Amino acid sequence: EMCIRDRPSSLLPPEAIQLLAKKYLIRTEMKQWRLVYDSDRHGLSLHGFSLKAEQCPVPTLMLIQDTGGAVFGIYGSAGWSASNRFFGGGNPFLLRCHPNLQVYRQTGHNANFQYFVTGATMLTNGLAAGGDLDPEWFQVYLDPSFRTGKCMQGSPRNTFEAPVLSSEPQFTVQRIELIQLRPLTELEVERLGERDSRSILAKNKEALAFQEMAGKTFHTKEMGMDENEIAGARGEE
């Protein structure tokens, strides 16, 4: 039985939450929703979104409200972790929330479900769903500012059977929410911890290299590392 506690979204009405959970989500995604990112609380920025999304490597529902009043979104089976290609799998879909909930499934033309690229020089930066690598054909796209975007339709490149979901094909963002649809498993928590540790080590390597190039003493206490970690940062055994 579906029982989502509290109200995990300000953009999705309770009746739409109930319908979505009952008809379109699998059982493990029907009970414990958690609001991971809310632009009204965390700031409307790609960086702020990325920091929150990195801690959520599980299925999510991303909701976008534009300044014209439209509310639409992306259900993705993979977490929004920056990549250099389309990713995701399972049964992703696009949705529109007003005036009634409408869900748009895959066309089967391609598997270009989720796209999230930052800091690239040869690829389009931003977040998208559907279409192909030509940014003119992204079905839902947020540019790197996270303040403007566009929705496309009517192309044989479409990944989802969706019309233009926003108020206008080119839209301005009012608010964004990212909802985690199930708790992390023990293995996912463990992997997330390992990834964070690798990230910290990489940053420490950069800091160590910078200090040594500058001829400065590396203070282990200040960096929060012991002698073994210093050796690891230097690549020593």
Side-chain angles (χ1 to χ4, degrees):
E1 180 181 354
M2 193 276 297
C3 179
I4 295 173
R5 298 174 182 174
D6 303 320
R7 186 176 177 184
S9 172
S10 297
L11 298 179
L12 197 61
E15 59 272 18
I17 292 175
Q18 300 292 322
L19 179 61
L20 193 63
K22 286 181 178 179
K23 288 192 65 175
Y24 300 103
L25 303 179
I26 63 175
R27 182 171 296 276
T28 57
E29 300 167 355
M30 291 170 53
K31 293 188 177 182
Q32 298 185 46
W33 289 16
R34 183 171 72 91
L35 185 62
V36 175
Y37 170 81
D38 180 355
S39 61
D40 277 11
R41 291 169 48 197
H42 303 116
L44 184 58
S45 74
L46 182 147
H47 179 67
F49 173 87
S50 182
L51 288 177
K52 296 295 183 181
E54 283 178 354
Q55 303 301 313
C56 184
V58 296
T60 59
L61 182 64
M62 182 178 186
L63 298 173
I64 303 165
Q65 180 183 43
D66 67 26
T67 53
V71 178
F72 52 99
I74 306 163
Y75 164 77
S77 60
W80 289 98
S81 182
S83 178
N84 62 357
R85 60 176 63 88
F86 278 101
F87 58 91
N91 293 294
F93 54 80
L94 303 182
L95 68 152
R96 183 160 52 191
C97 305
H98 293 297
N100 299 305
L101 178 68
Q102 299 287 332
V103 169
Y104 303 97
R105 299 286 198 178
Q106 305 167 38
T107 62
H109 293 160
N110 57 53
N112 297 339
F113 302 136
Q114 296 172 249
Y115 178 94
F116 189 29
V117 174
T118 62
T121 56
M122 301 296 290
L123 296 172
T124 300
N125 290 300
L127 182 150
D132 66 17
L133 286 175
D134 182 343
E136 292 301 315
W137 300 108
F138 286 141
Q139 288 189 262
V140 177
Y141 172 66
L142 293 173
D143 72 19
S145 74
F146 247 45
R147 297 181 181 277
T148 59
K150 60 184 179 181
C151 288
M152 297 295 294
Q153 71 158 0
S155 165
R157 309 179 191 187
N158 278 7
T159 307
F160 302 98
E161 298 174 340
V164 171
L165 300 175
S166 48
S167 298
E168 300 289 340
Q170 305 273 347
F171 64 87
T172 300
V173 175
Q174 179 71 38
R175 187 175 186 177
I176 295 175
E177 292 181 342
L178 183 68
I179 302 167
Q180 176 179 317
L181 299 182
R182 67 165 175 79
L184 273 65
T185 65
E186 291 184 5
L187 180 59
E188 287 166 341
V189 171
E190 182 180 336
R191 287 175 175 170
L192 190 61
E194 291 173 352
R195 188 182 70 186
D196 289 346
S197 296
R198 289 194 297 270
S199 176
I200 291 170
L201 180 59
K203 290 176 182 177
N204 285 334
K205 284 183 179 180
E206 293 175 3
L208 177 59
F210 176 80
Q211 293 228 10
E212 291 184 338
M213 285 176 63
K216 296 180 179 179
T217 302
F218 192 85
H219 298 289
T220 61
K221 187 174 181 180
E222 292 178 6
M223 297 300 297
M225 299 171 69
D226 61 26
E227 295 299 331
N228 290 331
E229 290 172 316
I230 292 297
R234 288 195 175 107
E236 300 170 0
E237 296 295 334

